[in-house]
């Protein structure tokens, strides 16, 4: 059990602890010294949502997306692949314990909600329904939104919620990541009446999330094995080359060794491969064949007015950039071969390390834009790419 996540320790007088938290909440919001300090995670969250203008007495009314948008998000969310595992581990337990199992996407939009009928009715009164956005800016401090903001598991109990109408709830939320890319896929949450809080809920939800991530990885391995079955004929006679999946994981290689992963391939965008150089991606069933490009050298030019990236090789193409994308790419370029982490980028851009979700989402979009020119873990410009930083 993760003691750092748990809001209530075993043996705690739940009713008494709820009263203590209510007093702390009232004192902090009134600007008085509390009887004891809130948990650091809760204190950080309260500061964020207060700065975002959330009113603890009159929270924003949830404005759920429509049914069609929920279905679209369900279709594109990879967590739908592991719903049977999550249901098997959590739904029956949630029903027995008067809880709900809730699954959101990476934006905090509730896509699936299952569990005890009586608790579903209580959740309806708060707008905690499919299609609602349960992020901190939308609804204040809560396990789902705070797990997104902190990029970490969160259990929140009673008056640890910023909005008073949520003080009768307890929630436990865990982020789920794509084991192939590290990308945040969404949040798995178990919520219910505050009096039903239990420290073991943290372990239960955490175990279920790890199971879901293990299943995703197992299916990834199955897809790679299918690629390996056809790689012999694809690599025959090509000299140096690789067969990779859509995320750049290597199924087979010829003429090179020791490469586990490259940047996610995109049609028409060269991928930098260590020991080979720029490779042209060619689509094959279930993935891509990467073969050496005829272009000897790539040059990345970062312009500021307007912000855009220009890539020069045997051909030249231009990508318009948003201001934040341009700032990120310039910081990564100036970091050199050692690269830079998402936490360092968050600290440089925002002055702290609490904006990891925002930074990672922007970097994910940026990597899709410039392909193999930008590598991750740490974030850095691919070897062999000359960078020119144009001055404002």
């Amino acid at each position: 059990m993760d003691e750092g996540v748990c809001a209530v320790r075993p043996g705690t007088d739940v009713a008494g602890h709820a009263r203590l938290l209510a007093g702390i909440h009232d004192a902090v919001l009134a600007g008085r010294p509390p009887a004891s300090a809130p948990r650091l995670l809760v204190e950080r969250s309260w500061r964020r949502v207060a700065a975002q203008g959330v009113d603890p007495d009159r929270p924003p009314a949830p404005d759920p997306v429509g049914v069609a948008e929920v279905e679209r998000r369900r279709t594109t969310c990879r967590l739908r692949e592991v719903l049977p595992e999550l249901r098997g581990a959590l739904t029956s337990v949630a029903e027995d314990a008067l809880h709900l199992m809730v699954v959101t996407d990476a934006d905090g939009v509730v896509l699936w909600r299952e569990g005890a009928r009586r608790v579903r009715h209580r959740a309806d009164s708060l707008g905690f329904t499919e299609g609602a956005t349960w992020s901190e800016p939308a609804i204040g401090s809560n396990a789902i939104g705070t797990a997104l903001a902190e990029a970490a598991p969160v259990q929140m109990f009673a008056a640890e919620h910023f909005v008073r109408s949520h003080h009768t709830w307890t929630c436990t939320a865990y982020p789920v990541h794509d084991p192939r890319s590290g990308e945040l896929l969404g949040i798995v949450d178990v919520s219910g009446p505050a009096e039903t809080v239990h420290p073991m809920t943290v372990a239960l939800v955490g175990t279920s999330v790890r199971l879901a991530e293990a299943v995703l990885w197992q299916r990834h391995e199955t897809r790679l094995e299918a690629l390996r079955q056809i790689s012999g004929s694809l690599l025959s006679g090509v000299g140096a080359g690789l067969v990779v999946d859509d995320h750049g994981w290597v199924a087979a290689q010829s003429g090179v060794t020791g490469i586990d992963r490259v940047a996610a391939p995109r049609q028409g965008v060269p991928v930098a491969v260590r020991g080979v150089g720029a490779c042209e991606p060619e689509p094959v069933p279930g993935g891509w064949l990467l073969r050496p490009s005829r272009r000897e050298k790539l040059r990345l030019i970062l312009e500021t007015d307007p912000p855009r990236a220009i890539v020069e090789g045997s051909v030249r193409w231009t990508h318009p950039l948003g201001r934040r994308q341009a700032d990120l790419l310039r910081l990564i370029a100036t970091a050199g071969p050692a690269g830079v982490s998402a936490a360092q980028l968050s600290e440089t851009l925002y002055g702290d390390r609490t904006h990891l979700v925002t930074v990672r989402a922007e970097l994910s979009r940026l990597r899709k834009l410039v392909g193999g020119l930008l590598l991750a873990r740490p974030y850095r410009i691919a070897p062999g790419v000359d960078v020119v930083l144009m001055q404002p």
Side-chain angles (χ1 to χ4, degrees):
M1 181 170 61
D2 191 334
E3 296 290 345
V5 179
C6 290
V8 176
R9 296 180 180 274
T12 298
D13 173 5
V14 172
H17 191 52
R19 289 192 295 271
L20 172 65
L21 291 174
I24 292 172
H25 183 277
D26 290 344
V28 170
L29 267 60
R32 304 190 309 269
S36 58
R39 289 190 294 154
L40 290 177
L41 175 145
V42 173
E43 184 178 13
R44 289 195 300 270
S45 179
W46 286 359
R47 287 177 177 173
R48 283 194 299 268
V49 301
Q52 290 158 348
V54 177
D55 188 331
D57 297 304
R58 299 175 61 187
D63 185 18
V65 301
V67 173
E69 176 63 10
V70 169
E71 286 303 317
R72 186 194 70 79
R73 287 174 177 260
R74 285 176 174 174
T75 300
T76 57
C77 183
R78 287 205 66 216
L79 290 183
R80 72 177 297 134
E81 297 181 31
V82 291
L83 268 181
E85 287 76 17
L86 291 172
R87 284 171 173 148
L90 294 175
T91 299
S92 62
V93 176
E95 289 176 345
D96 292 342
L98 296 179
H99 278 66
L100 300 176
M101 181 196 76
V102 176
V103 180
T104 82
D105 63 12
D107 296 323
V109 176
V110 177
L111 300 184
W112 293 278
R113 190 193 68 164
E114 302 174 1
R117 178 179 298 179
R118 184 169 60 179
V119 183
R120 289 204 307 270
H121 291 328
R122 287 184 61 174
D124 290 344
S125 67
L126 295 177
F128 192 23
T129 60
E130 287 92 342
T133 300
W134 223 249
S135 64
E136 282 190 340
I139 209 67
S141 303
N142 69 92
I144 292 172
T146 304
L148 287 171
E150 296 277 336
V154 171
Q155 185 177 57
M156 200 161 283
F157 169 67
E160 291 185 325
H161 294 86
F162 188 76
V163 175
R164 286 190 170 88
S165 58
H166 297 174
H167 287 188
T168 58
W169 285 80
T170 181
C171 311
T172 304
Y174 263 76
V176 189
H177 294 89
D178 189 329
R180 302 170 304 177
S181 63
E183 176 187 5
L184 176 69
L185 299 178
I187 299 290
V188 173
D189 170 82
V190 169
S191 293
E195 63 270 16
T196 64
V197 66
H198 198 289
M200 288 307 298
T201 306
V202 172
L204 176 64
V205 179
T207 299
S208 302
V209 166
R210 287 189 288 273
L211 170 63
E213 291 176 340
V215 170
L216 289 172
W217 181 259
Q218 184 180 44
R219 291 176 184 170
H220 158 70
E221 290 282 7
T222 300
R223 295 184 186 107
L224 280 185
E225 184 56 34
L227 267 177
R228 292 187 187 105
Q229 298 301 316
I230 65 170
S231 62
S233 59
L234 294 173
L235 292 172
S236 178
V238 303
L242 305 93
V243 177
V244 305
D245 71 2
D246 287 336
H247 292 263
W249 287 93
V250 177
Q253 50 198 301
S254 173
V256 292
T257 58
I259 301 176
D260 296 322
R261 191 181 180 195
V262 298
R266 292 173 58 229
Q267 185 73 51
V269 179
V271 175
V273 177
R274 175 171 49 83
V276 179
C279 288
E280 297 286 352
E282 304 172 31
V284 299
W288 301 82
L289 171 64
L290 303 182
R291 295 193 287 189
S293 170
R294 290 175 296 175
R295 61 188 80 191
E296 295 296 324
K297 196 73 174 177
L298 291 176
R299 186 162 72 144
L300 174 63
I301 303 170
L302 298 180
E303 295 189 342
T304 57
D305 192 18
R308 59 182 183 169
I310 301 172
V311 180
E312 292 183 343
S314 59
V315 295
R316 171 186 169 106
W317 69 97
T318 300
H319 298 290
L321 300 173
R323 291 288 179 185
R324 185 61 71 198
Q325 289 177 326
D327 291 343
L328 284 167
L329 202 50
R330 187 171 287 266
L331 287 170
I332 293 167
T334 55
V340 62
S341 69
Q344 290 170 318
L345 290 169
S346 174
E347 191 162 27
T348 301
L349 290 175
Y350 298 101
D352 57 50
R353 298 195 174 199
T354 63
H355 291 76
L356 291 177
V357 173
T358 301
V359 169
R360 286 174 177 149
E362 198 65 73
L363 287 168
S364 178
R365 289 188 285 268
L366 193 55
R367 292 190 70 205
K368 291 177 182 177
L369 190 67
V370 300
L373 303 183
L374 177 58
L375 305 181
R377 296 184 178 180
Y379 295 100
R380 63 201 185 281
I381 302 299
V385 178
D386 288 335
V387 180
V388 178
L389 302 177
M390 304 298 289
Q391 297 302 314

